Amino acid sequence: MSSNSATVTVALEGDRRYDIAIANHSLQNLGTKLVEIGLGKKSNKVLIVSNPVIYKHYGETVSSSLTNAGFNATNLILPAGERFKTANSLQKIYDAALAHRLERSSLIIALGGGVVGDMSGYAAATWLRGIDLVQVPTTLLAMVDSAIGGKTGINHPHGKNLIGAFHQPRLVWVDPEVLKTLPAREFRSAIAEVIKYGVIWDRDLFELLANCDRLDQLRYVKPDLLQSILYRCAKAKAEIVSKDEKEGNLRAILNYGHTVGHAIESVTNYRLYNHGEAVGLGMAIAGAIAVDLGLWTQPDQDRQMLLISKARLPQTLPSDIDLDAIAASLSNDKKVEAGKVRFILPTALGSANLSDQVTAELVKQNLRKIVA
Ligand code: GLY
């Protein structure tokens, strides 16, 4: 991998401003970085939250980096997977915080993917009414999306991410080397979110992706392109979040592909597709709807679909899928406002808008076209 490094700043007010630092082999420098920026220094106590696989690979590196820098670090290993993003796991973080006597000036470090990041973030948002959080994302999805922007939370038995809080991290520490142990399916499904940034915000990113023959595995993505992906996605998210932290309006464009994507995930019981795969299908449908409404062009939709196919993401739905259930599920989405589903539609490569013109019938018409 290249030794490139880059920093993106999330330009929020006051001490909520923070950096996303991207550098190869940087895990072992986390402790010194925390000392340099004065995080956790008063109490010296740090709780690292992780999952078994990630901790096995990287826990020792992070933990000794903290100990060598003078921190009193302990860890909590929680089971991996969306189904463990629960109140029960959250309670375990609180129990560890209590056992380790975390104080207001202590720190929680989330070492893992979106599940670890969201739960640790919510624990940090609520423990003693809020303590500092550092995100150390280890999946591509967390690096480009969930570790940035301060959305934290857990699932309710009846819906994803229904319980949560905005709590910005103090630092996002990205070491691209860790992607070498990421399973291929997780890599390619995160590419759906990468394509999303190209469509909604960064046309140059879209063109960089279009120049690559295959996007489905890390080994086909050259180090310089990987660095550009991480940097450009972080920059896009930082720009959007610093303009609209609490999703009053602009931030909603990050949900491109997610409205139908969430409905597909939910109707297939989170078993058939993982999040990125469902988002890829959602982007295909949203793009087709935007063409129907005359908001963007068929050639741009075709180019989006070419990227989705280069990432080997699914493009069809099983023949027994319940399209009515998907349409019904749209109205349970968090993006519903005053009874209307807020749909994000692309308007050009690098630009998207909120729309309330999308009917359930239009969604179903387009879903029908991709039933295998
Ligand atoms: N993942 C969407 C957002 O952070 O707003």
Side-chain angles (χ1 to χ4, degrees), residues 144-151 161 166 193 196-197 237 240-241 244-245 247 251-256 258 275 335:
V144 299
D145 186 16
S146 60
I148 307 166
K151 279 191 182 174
N161 296 331
F166 285 98
E193 300 276 0
K196 175 191 85 177
Y197 286 111
K237 183 129 189 202
I240 294 167
V241 166
D244 177 24
E245 183 186 7
E247 202 169 310
R251 186 170 177 163
I253 66 169
L254 291 169
N255 297 321
Y256 175 52
H258 287 59
H275 178 68
K335 284 107 211 160

Side-chain angles (χ1 to χ4, degrees), residues 124-340:
T126 46
W127 184 251
L128 305 180
R129 299 202 179 87
I131 67 170
D132 285 339
L133 166 75
V134 169
Q135 292 277 8
V136 184
T138 58
T139 63
L140 181 58
L141 185 65
M143 289 176 185
V144 299
D145 186 16
S146 60
I148 307 166
K151 279 191 182 174
T152 72
I154 56 168
N155 298 332
H156 182 276
H158 294 296
K160 255 180 107 169
N161 296 331
L162 290 182
I163 304 152
F166 285 98
H167 187 64
Q168 298 293 341
R170 302 297 303 269
L171 173 71
V172 182
W173 196 245
V174 179
D175 182 349
E177 285 291 319
V178 304
L179 294 177
K180 286 180 176 163
T181 54
L182 186 70
R185 186 175 178 194
E186 279 198 53
F187 180 84
R188 66 174 178 265
S189 56
I191 291 288
E193 300 276 0
V194 174
I195 297 171
K196 175 191 85 177
Y197 286 111
V199 173
I200 64 165
W201 196 257
D202 182 351
R203 186 182 179 136
D204 291 344
L205 170 63
F206 189 97
E207 299 300 346
L208 286 174
L209 299 172
N211 286 336
C212 190
D213 291 337
R214 284 182 68 169
L215 294 164
D216 56 316
Q217 288 181 48
L218 181 63
R219 65 195 164 111
Y220 299 118
V221 176
K222 296 210 172 78
D224 281 354
L225 176 59
L226 179 65
Q227 181 74 16
S228 296
I229 287 174
L230 295 172
Y231 175 72
R232 286 186 167 274
C233 294
K235 190 159 168 289
K237 183 129 189 202
E239 285 168 359
I240 294 167
V241 166
S242 51
K243 287 191 168 82
D244 177 24
E245 183 186 7
K246 301 274 169 76
E247 202 169 310
N249 202 331
L250 176 71
R251 186 170 177 163
I253 66 169
L254 291 169
N255 297 321
Y256 175 52
H258 287 59
T259 311
V260 167
H262 280 160
I264 292 174
E265 273 184 286
S266 147
V267 165
T268 54
N269 294 318
Y270 299 93
R271 290 211 177 92
L272 204 52
Y273 304 105
N274 65 20
H275 178 68
E277 291 165 345
V279 166
L281 287 161
M283 294 194 302
I285 297 298
I289 290 173
V291 173
D292 284 351
L293 293 174
L295 296 172
W296 90 325
T297 66
Q298 187 62 52
D300 283 348
Q301 167 69 353
D302 293 344
R303 294 195 72 202
Q304 168 180 256
M305 294 314 296
L306 186 59
L307 290 196
I308 290 174
S309 77
K310 282 182 180 189
R312 308 285 199 268
L313 287 161
Q315 294 182 54
T316 54
L317 293 167
S319 55
D320 59 350
I321 193 117
D322 186 346
L323 300 187
D324 289 324
I326 295 181
S329 167
L330 292 178
S331 49
N332 295 332
D333 200 89
K334 283 199 297 314
K335 284 107 211 160
V336 172
E337 205 166 82
K340 282 191 168 155

